[in-house]
């Protein structure tokens, strides 16, 4: 197979070809590595690549399968979800086998990981100068799972500093360009993961979503992004932004890949006290043979009005018509408190962030700017090494939490959060799934909203309610809208019903126009 054909395969297609020995893992990693070398100068989707190590892991997987006769577990939904590492075979690649002595079914399929994820032995900066050169001594649980399953990691993807932003322009490591149009934003904070997947630099990637950072980048790059139910994927080892909202999840080019990746990284983790103790139903299994017949679907009235670009709405309306034609019942549902979601989020998120980010003081991690006293050193470090958006949120959060204002700001925001939960409860008593456009517009121009935080925040209007309520939400491409750029449709389900979203998403993606990033690199 030619390299150009390899990089366009989905993650599950690559897995199939590895299982049938049509491809070796090394061949796959080489194909992505070559392409990354070509396109990275234009995209800057990665903060660092780890291609040499990815090749070592790929070689190890190939060697284990071809020479030592160790088998991959069969490529079934059950195995993808239930495979559990019991023994690491090799300290360098850290590939493991399960109790049957078998490798993970997805072993050998490469992946990209957002830089907010703590990765042992590999610089983890969360997009910030303050963590430049920080090499963690442990792995986030999800990264441990990826390594044990034998997925070669291609690199750490670019992001807004500490995951604050909607454009990846707030990264300390340069801006990431949207592969659909290089002068546009790739979304944020996880613009790097979305751009990498859209531009075929990786078959799939890890993102994190506190207010939309998986779904909004997916929407503007024509990819699939899933924010799982809060607690479905361990937060242990994610550099915390707002702990009650943060959730890691997949960024992919189709729904089945997202389901498989979530199945692989999710599950209870004793290191994360908010992780869901029970097993959730299978996701990848739910995508197989999925259809829409009989589902009750609600259009969120409050997320379908002014402020949404005409063609974004048009693609959404066309999707609704197709959902109805496929046998689902569609009706409008009101969530009257959603209009306060943005205000509530931009108090709760900065409040939690101001506390979480207190640990970056020049003492414990990463970089330091010296000063005469410990206090001056901390001041100098934070003054010089944190970016403007991060400082803005720390100031906002500290203010909202200060004794005289706590009830008025943080307290009220928490009350609004409860009202939003109640909106969801009452909506889900009428319908199975809620839908809306994922974001109000297609990708805007780089620089366009950089000096206007409010305009930037308004991007998150449709994605934030799901974080406040902890419910799962997915974005898939709805087609091309303004300027021929991708738009997204968002689906939201009740807590722990991620598999229902995968079923809905997999059925819907077959009905919607399939779009392909036109990236041509000379
Ligand atoms: N755009 C949102 C923000 O700036 C999203 C953050 C996120 O999900 N990490 O807060």
């Amino acid at each position: 197979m030619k390299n150009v054909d390899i990089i366009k395969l989905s993650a599950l297609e690559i897995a199939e070809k590895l299982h049938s020995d049509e491809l070796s893992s090394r061949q796959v990693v080489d194909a992505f590595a070559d392409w990354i070398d070509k396109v990275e100068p234009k995209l800057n989707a990665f903060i660092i690549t780890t291609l040499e190590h990815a090749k070592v892991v790929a070689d190890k997987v190939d060697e284990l399968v071809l020479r030592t006769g160790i088998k991959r577990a069969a490529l079934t939904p059950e195995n993808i979800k239930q495979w559990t590492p019991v023994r690491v075979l090799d300290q360098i690649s850290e590939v493991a086998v399960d109790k049957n002595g078998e490798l993970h079914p997805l072993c050998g399929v490469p992946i990209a990981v957002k830089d907010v994820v703590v990765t042992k032995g590999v610089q983890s900066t969360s997009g910030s100068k303050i963590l430049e050169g920080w090499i963690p001594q442990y792995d986030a649980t999800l990264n441990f799972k990826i390594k044990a399953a034998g997925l070669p990691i291609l690199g750490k993807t670019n992001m807004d500093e500490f995951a604050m932003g909607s454009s990846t322009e707030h990264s300390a490591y340069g801006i990431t360009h949207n592969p659909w149009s290089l002068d546009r934003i790739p979304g944020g904070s996880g613009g790097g993961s979305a751009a990498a997947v859209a531009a075929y630099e990786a078959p799939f990637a890890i993102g994190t979503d506190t207010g939309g950072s998986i779904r909004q980048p997916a929407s503007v790059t024509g990819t699939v992004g899933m924010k799982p139910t809060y607690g479905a994927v361990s937060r242990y080892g994610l550099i915390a932004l707002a702990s009650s909202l943060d959730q890691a999840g997949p960024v992919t080019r189709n729904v089945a890949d997202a389901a498989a990746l979530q199945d692989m990284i999710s599950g209870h983790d004793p290191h994360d006290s908010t992780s869901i103790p029970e097993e959730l139903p299978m996701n990848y299994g739910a995508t197989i043979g999925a259809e829409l017949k009989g589902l009750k679907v609600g259009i969120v009235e409050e997320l379908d009005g002014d402020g949404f670009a005409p063609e974004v709405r048009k693609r959404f309306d066309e999707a609704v018509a197709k959902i109805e034609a496929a046998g689902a019942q569609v009706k409008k549902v009101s969530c009257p408190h959603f209009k306060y979601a943005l205000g509530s989020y931009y108090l709760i998120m900065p409040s939690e962030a101001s506390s979480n980010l207190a640990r970056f003081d020049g003492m414990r991690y990463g970089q330091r700017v010296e000063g005469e006293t410990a206090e001056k050193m901390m001041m100098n470090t934070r003054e010089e090494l944190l970016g403007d958006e991060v400082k803005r949120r720390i100031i906002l959060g500290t203010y909202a939490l200060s004794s005289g204002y706590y009830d008025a700001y943080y307290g009220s925001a928490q009350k609004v959060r409860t009202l939003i939960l109640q909106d969801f409860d009452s909506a889900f008593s009428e319908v199975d799934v809620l839908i809306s456009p994922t974001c109000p517009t297609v990708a805007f121009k780089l620089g366009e909203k950089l000096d206007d935080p409010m305009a930037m925040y308004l991007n998150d209007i449709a994605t934030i309610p799901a974080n406040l309520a902890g419910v799962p939400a997915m974005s898939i491409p709805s087609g091309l809208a303004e300027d021929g750029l991708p738009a997204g449709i968002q689906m939201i389900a009740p807590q722990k019903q991620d598999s229902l979203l995968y079923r809905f998403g997999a059925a819907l993606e077959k009905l919607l126009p399939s779009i392909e990033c036109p990236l041509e690199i000379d």
Side-chain angles (χ1 to χ4, degrees):
M1 250 184 129
K2 287 206 289 246
N3 280 1
V4 293
D5 299 320
I6 295 175
I7 60 172
K8 293 200 171 177
L9 296 171
S10 73
L12 284 162
E13 284 168 347
I14 293 174
E16 276 166 23
K17 295 200 186 303
L18 293 173
H19 279 254
S20 66
D21 288 336
E22 197 180 323
L23 288 173
S24 71
S25 179
R26 179 60 192 262
Q27 232 178 316
V28 175
V29 169
D30 281 346
F32 283 104
D34 281 0
W35 182 240
I36 287 172
D37 282 345
K38 283 207 187 76
V39 293
E40 262 306 273
K42 302 216 168 161
L43 293 180
N44 193 36
F46 289 90
I47 291 179
I48 50 164
T49 56
T50 49
L51 299 172
E52 288 319 305
H53 190 69
K55 290 174 188 173
V56 169
V57 175
D59 283 341
K60 190 73 204 175
V61 167
D62 291 339
E63 182 197 313
L64 288 168
V65 176
L66 297 173
R67 265 176 253 137
T68 63
I70 290 183
K71 292 208 167 39
R72 295 178 156 91
L75 187 59
T76 63
E78 293 77 11
N79 286 343
I80 288 178
K81 186 165 161 63
Q82 272 143 22
W83 183 93
T84 311
V86 295
R87 188 163 56 91
V88 173
L89 294 180
D90 157 65
Q91 289 311 321
I92 295 172
S93 68
E94 296 178 78
V95 178
V97 285
D98 70 355
K99 62 178 188 318
N100 303 323
E102 292 179 334
L103 299 164
H104 191 279
L106 296 180
C107 80
V109 181
I111 190 167
V113 175
K114 189 178 179 182
D115 204 36
V116 69
V117 177
V118 167
T119 48
K120 187 172 82 183
V122 177
Q123 174 183 274
S124 305
T125 71
S126 204
S128 182
K129 268 270 167 287
I130 210 165
L131 284 177
E132 191 171 11
W134 181 51
I135 313 279
Q137 300 187 354
Y138 71 105
D139 269 314
T141 297
L142 74 86
N143 204 58
F144 169 79
K145 290 189 178 202
I146 288 171
K147 282 160 70 173
L151 279 74
I153 298 172
L154 298 168
K156 304 289 297 289
T157 56
N158 200 10
M159 55 183 285
D160 286 297
E161 184 176 8
F162 289 116
M164 298 176 188
S166 306
S167 67
T168 314
E169 293 167 296
H170 297 303
S171 167
Y173 300 90
I175 52 180
T176 295
H177 299 262
N178 189 323
W180 284 81
S181 173
L182 296 175
D183 63 350
R184 306 271 176 156
I185 59 113
S189 66
S193 284
V197 171
Y200 307 105
E201 289 184 296
F204 54 9
I206 296 293
T208 56
D209 191 311
T210 304
S213 287
I214 289 177
R215 290 162 287 156
Q216 182 257 8
S219 176
V220 300
T221 58
T223 51
V224 171
M226 168 77 175
K227 182 200 90 69
T229 296
Y230 179 79
V233 177
S234 169
R235 287 185 300 108
Y236 177 73
L238 303 184
I239 298 172
L241 169 55
S243 308
S244 77
L245 303 163
D246 297 345
Q247 182 57 212
V251 181
T252 61
R253 286 194 298 271
N254 68 43
V255 175
D257 276 4
L261 183 52
Q262 182 173 330
D263 280 338
M264 195 187 96
I265 59 172
S266 58
H268 179 62
D269 179 12
H271 290 308
D272 172 3
S273 60
T274 59
S275 122
I276 296 172
E278 75 261 27
E279 261 212 23
L280 299 187
M282 225 176 308
N283 296 314
Y284 174 34
T287 64
I288 298 166
E291 49 175 298
L292 293 170
K293 211 182 274 152
L295 275 179
K296 285 188 258 164
V297 179
I299 299 172
V300 183
E301 234 167 331
E302 287 73 11
L303 299 177
D304 187 29
D306 299 339
F308 288 82
E311 287 192 47
V312 170
R313 287 192 67 187
K314 217 162 160 210
R315 293 298 88 76
F316 178 72
D317 292 342
E318 288 162 6
V320 169
K322 289 189 170 141
I323 293 169
E324 271 185 315
Q329 292 169 33
V330 183
K331 65 171 184 172
K332 294 216 168 187
V333 175
S334 174
C335 293
H337 300 98
F338 277 22
K339 55 178 172 294
Y340 307 118
L342 198 71
S344 161
Y345 171 86
Y346 277 99
L347 286 166
I348 293 170
M349 194 282 300
S351 297
E352 293 187 20
S354 71
S355 154
N356 272 325
L357 267 54
R359 61 169 68 86
F360 302 110
D361 54 8
M363 291 283 204
R364 284 170 283 187
Y365 311 90
Q367 301 294 319
R368 160 185 300 186
V369 179
E370 293 299 347
E372 289 145 35
T373 61
E375 228 178 358
K376 285 223 171 88
M377 180 279 288
M378 288 183 202
M379 270 173 63
N380 293 345
T381 300
R382 287 168 72 86
E383 170 59 34
E384 275 189 41
L385 301 177
L386 293 177
D388 287 349
E389 182 61 27
V390 172
K391 286 180 190 154
R392 179 180 297 127
R393 307 246 185 149
I394 291 173
I395 293 167
L396 262 171
T398 315
Y399 187 78
L401 290 176
S402 57
S403 59
Y405 298 100
Y406 184 93
D407 287 335
Y409 293 117
Y410 184 74
S412 311
Q414 289 291 16
K415 286 183 190 146
V416 170
R417 192 171 185 176
T418 305
L419 294 172
I420 286 164
L421 267 158
Q422 289 168 356
D423 278 0
F424 273 118
D425 280 348
S426 92
F428 287 131
S429 69
E430 292 181 52
V431 296
D432 304 311
V433 180
L434 291 169
I435 54 171
S436 75
T438 310
C439 17
T441 65
V442 298
F444 47 90
K445 289 244 164 74
L446 289 165
E448 194 181 312
K449 301 194 176 171
L450 205 47
D451 298 324
D452 186 352
M454 192 59 200
M456 192 74 97
Y457 299 168
L458 279 168
N459 255 282
D460 308 331
I461 195 130
T463 48
I464 276 172
N467 298 81
L468 289 171
V471 294
M474 181 192 293
S475 175
I476 68 172
S478 59
L480 300 179
E482 275 78 8
D483 302 318
L485 294 169
I489 174 167
Q490 172 177 240
M491 297 151 277
I492 311 176
Q495 276 193 14
K496 302 184 190 171
Q497 297 206 27
D498 304 48
S499 63
L500 171 62
L501 273 193
Y502 282 112
R503 182 180 136 210
F504 186 72
L508 182 55
E509 90 181 328
K510 285 194 222 121
L511 305 174
L512 297 177
S514 84
I515 58 173
E516 197 185 338
C517 181
L519 182 72
E520 271 172 41
I521 299 288
D522 26 15

PDB file of all heavy atoms in Angstrom, residues 163-166 188-189 208-213 241 345-346 349 393 460, ligand 1:
ATOM      1  N   ALA A 163      -5.369  24.804  28.404  1.00  0.00           N
ATOM      2  CA  ALA A 163      -6.680  24.478  27.814  1.00  0.00           C
ATOM      3  C   ALA A 163      -7.691  25.613  27.913  1.00  0.00           C
ATOM      4  O   ALA A 163      -8.896  25.397  27.927  1.00  0.00           O
ATOM      5  CB  ALA A 163      -7.263  23.186  28.410  1.00  0.00           C
ATOM      6  N   MET A 164      -7.174  26.855  27.980  1.00  0.00           N
ATOM      7  CA  MET A 164      -8.072  28.009  28.045  1.00  0.00           C
ATOM      8  C   MET A 164      -8.099  28.702  26.693  1.00  0.00           C
ATOM      9  O   MET A 164      -7.154  29.394  26.328  1.00  0.00           O
ATOM     10  CB  MET A 164      -7.575  28.995  29.092  1.00  0.00           C
ATOM     11  CG  MET A 164      -7.550  28.406  30.475  1.00  0.00           C
ATOM     12  SD  MET A 164      -6.840  29.606  31.610  1.00  0.00           S
ATOM     13  CE  MET A 164      -6.700  28.596  33.069  1.00  0.00           C
ATOM     14  N   GLY A 165      -9.186  28.493  25.955  1.00  0.00           N
ATOM     15  CA  GLY A 165      -9.298  29.172  24.674  1.00  0.00           C
ATOM     16  C   GLY A 165     -10.086  28.360  23.680  1.00  0.00           C
ATOM     17  O   GLY A 165     -10.434  27.203  23.931  1.00  0.00           O
ATOM     18  N   SER A 166     -10.394  28.987  22.557  1.00  0.00           N
ATOM     19  CA  SER A 166     -11.203  28.336  21.522  1.00  0.00           C
ATOM     20  C   SER A 166     -10.514  28.416  20.168  1.00  0.00           C
ATOM     21  O   SER A 166     -11.164  28.261  19.141  1.00  0.00           O
ATOM     22  CB  SER A 166     -12.563  29.027  21.423  1.00  0.00           C
ATOM     23  OG  SER A 166     -13.187  29.066  22.680  1.00  0.00           O
ATOM     24  N   GLY A 188     -10.251  25.381  19.585  1.00  0.00           N
ATOM     25  CA  GLY A 188      -9.430  25.260  20.790  1.00  0.00           C
ATOM     26  C   GLY A 188     -10.262  24.783  21.952  1.00  0.00           C
ATOM     27  O   GLY A 188     -11.480  24.717  21.854  1.00  0.00           O
ATOM     28  N   SER A 189      -9.678  24.357  23.020  1.00  0.00           N
ATOM     29  CA  SER A 189      -8.240  24.380  23.187  1.00  0.00           C
ATOM     30  C   SER A 189      -7.510  23.278  22.435  1.00  0.00           C
ATOM     31  O   SER A 189      -6.327  23.396  22.158  1.00  0.00           O
ATOM     32  CB  SER A 189      -7.909  24.266  24.672  1.00  0.00           C
ATOM     33  OG  SER A 189      -8.300  23.001  25.184  1.00  0.00           O
ATOM     34  N   THR A 208      -9.204  16.836  25.368  1.00  0.00           N
ATOM     35  CA  THR A 208      -9.909  17.020  26.641  1.00  0.00           C
ATOM     36  C   THR A 208     -10.914  18.150  26.462  1.00  0.00           C
ATOM     37  O   THR A 208     -10.712  19.047  25.648  1.00  0.00           O
ATOM     38  CB  THR A 208      -8.969  17.384  27.812  1.00  0.00           C
ATOM     39  OG1 THR A 208      -8.216  18.553  27.463  1.00  0.00           O
ATOM     40  CG2 THR A 208      -8.047  16.238  28.160  1.00  0.00           C
ATOM     41  N   ASP A 209     -11.985  18.069  27.237  1.00  0.00           N
ATOM     42  CA  ASP A 209     -13.109  18.967  27.011  1.00  0.00           C
ATOM     43  C   ASP A 209     -13.635  19.446  28.364  1.00  0.00           C
ATOM     44  O   ASP A 209     -14.168  18.661  29.144  1.00  0.00           O
ATOM     45  CB  ASP A 209     -14.181  18.180  26.233  1.00  0.00           C
ATOM     46  CG  ASP A 209     -15.301  19.033  25.681  1.00  0.00           C
ATOM     47  OD1 ASP A 209     -15.852  19.833  26.465  1.00  0.00           O
ATOM     48  OD2 ASP A 209     -15.632  18.891  24.487  1.00  0.00           O
ATOM     49  N   THR A 210     -13.457  20.737  28.622  1.00  0.00           N
ATOM     50  CA  THR A 210     -13.916  21.357  29.864  1.00  0.00           C
ATOM     51  C   THR A 210     -15.134  22.229  29.582  1.00  0.00           C
ATOM     52  O   THR A 210     -16.023  22.387  30.421  1.00  0.00           O
ATOM     53  CB  THR A 210     -12.774  22.202  30.466  1.00  0.00           C
ATOM     54  OG1 THR A 210     -11.640  21.360  30.651  1.00  0.00           O
ATOM     55  CG2 THR A 210     -13.158  22.837  31.790  1.00  0.00           C
ATOM     56  N   GLY A 211     -15.123  22.794  28.351  1.00  0.00           N
ATOM     57  CA  GLY A 211     -16.247  23.641  27.936  1.00  0.00           C
ATOM     58  C   GLY A 211     -16.504  23.495  26.447  1.00  0.00           C
ATOM     59  O   GLY A 211     -17.257  24.269  25.859  1.00  0.00           O
ATOM     60  N   GLY A 212     -15.823  22.532  25.830  1.00  0.00           N
ATOM     61  CA  GLY A 212     -16.016  22.335  24.391  1.00  0.00           C
ATOM     62  C   GLY A 212     -14.738  22.015  23.634  1.00  0.00           C
ATOM     63  O   GLY A 212     -14.744  21.910  22.402  1.00  0.00           O
ATOM     64  N   SER A 213     -13.641  21.849  24.324  1.00  0.00           N
ATOM     65  CA  SER A 213     -12.326  21.755  23.667  1.00  0.00           C
ATOM     66  C   SER A 213     -12.096  20.508  22.838  1.00  0.00           C
ATOM     67  O   SER A 213     -11.104  20.423  22.119  1.00  0.00           O
ATOM     68  CB  SER A 213     -11.206  21.866  24.695  1.00  0.00           C
ATOM     69  OG  SER A 213     -11.122  23.187  25.131  1.00  0.00           O
ATOM     70  N   LEU A 241      -7.621  21.721  34.693  1.00  0.00           N
ATOM     71  CA  LEU A 241      -8.090  23.083  34.431  1.00  0.00           C
ATOM     72  C   LEU A 241      -9.227  23.351  35.421  1.00  0.00           C
ATOM     73  O   LEU A 241      -9.052  24.080  36.389  1.00  0.00           O
ATOM     74  CB  LEU A 241      -8.551  23.195  32.975  1.00  0.00           C
ATOM     75  CG  LEU A 241      -9.311  24.442  32.557  1.00  0.00           C
ATOM     76  CD1 LEU A 241      -8.558  25.706  32.882  1.00  0.00           C
ATOM     77  CD2 LEU A 241      -9.622  24.403  31.067  1.00  0.00           C
ATOM     78  N   TYR A 345     -20.524  29.187  33.509  1.00  0.00           N
ATOM     79  CA  TYR A 345     -19.250  28.506  33.206  1.00  0.00           C
ATOM     80  C   TYR A 345     -18.069  29.443  33.419  1.00  0.00           C
ATOM     81  O   TYR A 345     -17.057  29.053  34.012  1.00  0.00           O
ATOM     82  CB  TYR A 345     -19.289  28.015  31.757  1.00  0.00           C
ATOM     83  CG  TYR A 345     -17.960  27.492  31.252  1.00  0.00           C
ATOM     84  CD1 TYR A 345     -17.580  26.171  31.463  1.00  0.00           C
ATOM     85  CD2 TYR A 345     -17.079  28.311  30.537  1.00  0.00           C
ATOM     86  CE1 TYR A 345     -16.370  25.672  30.988  1.00  0.00           C
ATOM     87  CE2 TYR A 345     -15.871  27.832  30.059  1.00  0.00           C
ATOM     88  CZ  TYR A 345     -15.519  26.522  30.287  1.00  0.00           C
ATOM     89  OH  TYR A 345     -14.314  26.044  29.823  1.00  0.00           O
ATOM     90  N   TYR A 346     -18.190  30.683  32.924  1.00  0.00           N
ATOM     91  CA  TYR A 346     -17.043  31.590  33.013  1.00  0.00           C
ATOM     92  C   TYR A 346     -16.865  32.179  34.416  1.00  0.00           C
ATOM     93  O   TYR A 346     -16.057  33.067  34.619  1.00  0.00           O
ATOM     94  CB  TYR A 346     -17.071  32.641  31.893  1.00  0.00           C
ATOM     95  CG  TYR A 346     -16.464  32.053  30.625  1.00  0.00           C
ATOM     96  CD1 TYR A 346     -17.256  31.560  29.594  1.00  0.00           C
ATOM     97  CD2 TYR A 346     -15.080  31.909  30.506  1.00  0.00           C
ATOM     98  CE1 TYR A 346     -16.690  30.961  28.468  1.00  0.00           C
ATOM     99  CE2 TYR A 346     -14.506  31.327  29.385  1.00  0.00           C
ATOM    100  CZ  TYR A 346     -15.314  30.855  28.377  1.00  0.00           C
ATOM    101  OH  TYR A 346     -14.741  30.255  27.273  1.00  0.00           O
ATOM    102  N   MET A 349     -15.489  27.891  35.926  1.00  0.00           N
ATOM    103  CA  MET A 349     -14.223  27.437  35.331  1.00  0.00           C
ATOM    104  C   MET A 349     -13.044  28.259  35.850  1.00  0.00           C
ATOM    105  O   MET A 349     -12.072  27.677  36.352  1.00  0.00           O
ATOM    106  CB  MET A 349     -14.346  27.465  33.806  1.00  0.00           C
ATOM    107  CG  MET A 349     -13.272  26.733  33.083  1.00  0.00           C
ATOM    108  SD  MET A 349     -11.778  27.656  33.009  1.00  0.00           S
ATOM    109  CE  MET A 349     -12.382  29.078  32.145  1.00  0.00           C
ATOM    110  N   ARG A 393      -7.995  34.661  33.541  1.00  0.00           N
ATOM    111  CA  ARG A 393      -8.881  33.699  34.219  1.00  0.00           C
ATOM    112  C   ARG A 393      -8.516  33.568  35.700  1.00  0.00           C
ATOM    113  O   ARG A 393      -9.398  33.386  36.537  1.00  0.00           O
ATOM    114  CB  ARG A 393      -8.800  32.341  33.545  1.00  0.00           C
ATOM    115  CG  ARG A 393      -9.059  32.423  32.049  1.00  0.00           C
ATOM    116  CD  ARG A 393     -10.299  31.745  31.622  1.00  0.00           C
ATOM    117  NE  ARG A 393     -10.359  31.787  30.166  1.00  0.00           N
ATOM    118  CZ  ARG A 393     -10.923  30.870  29.413  1.00  0.00           C
ATOM    119  NH1 ARG A 393     -11.483  29.823  29.957  1.00  0.00           N
ATOM    120  NH2 ARG A 393     -10.957  30.997  28.111  1.00  0.00           N
ATOM    121  N   ASP A 460     -18.463  29.055  22.697  1.00  0.00           N
ATOM    122  CA  ASP A 460     -18.729  27.882  23.540  1.00  0.00           C
ATOM    123  C   ASP A 460     -20.193  27.777  23.943  1.00  0.00           C
ATOM    124  O   ASP A 460     -20.554  26.929  24.755  1.00  0.00           O
ATOM    125  CB  ASP A 460     -17.884  27.953  24.824  1.00  0.00           C
ATOM    126  CG  ASP A 460     -16.420  28.177  24.544  1.00  0.00           C
ATOM    127  OD1 ASP A 460     -15.965  27.742  23.483  1.00  0.00           O
ATOM    128  OD2 ASP A 460     -15.727  28.792  25.381  1.00  0.00           O
TER     129      ASP A 460
HETATM  130  N1  LIG B   1     -13.209  27.470  25.075  1.00  0.00           N
HETATM  131  C1  LIG B   1     -13.384  26.995  26.411  1.00  0.00           C
HETATM  132  C2  LIG B   1     -12.575  27.824  27.356  1.00  0.00           C
HETATM  133  O1  LIG B   1     -11.830  28.608  26.890  1.00  0.00           O
HETATM  134  C3  LIG B   1     -13.045  25.552  26.400  1.00  0.00           C
HETATM  135  C4  LIG B   1     -12.035  25.074  27.357  1.00  0.00           C
HETATM  136  C5  LIG B   1     -11.870  23.609  27.352  1.00  0.00           C
HETATM  137  O2  LIG B   1     -12.795  22.862  27.041  1.00  0.00           O
HETATM  138  N2  LIG B   1     -10.707  23.176  27.793  1.00  0.00           N
HETATM  139  O3  LIG B   1     -12.678  27.741  28.529  1.00  0.00           O
END
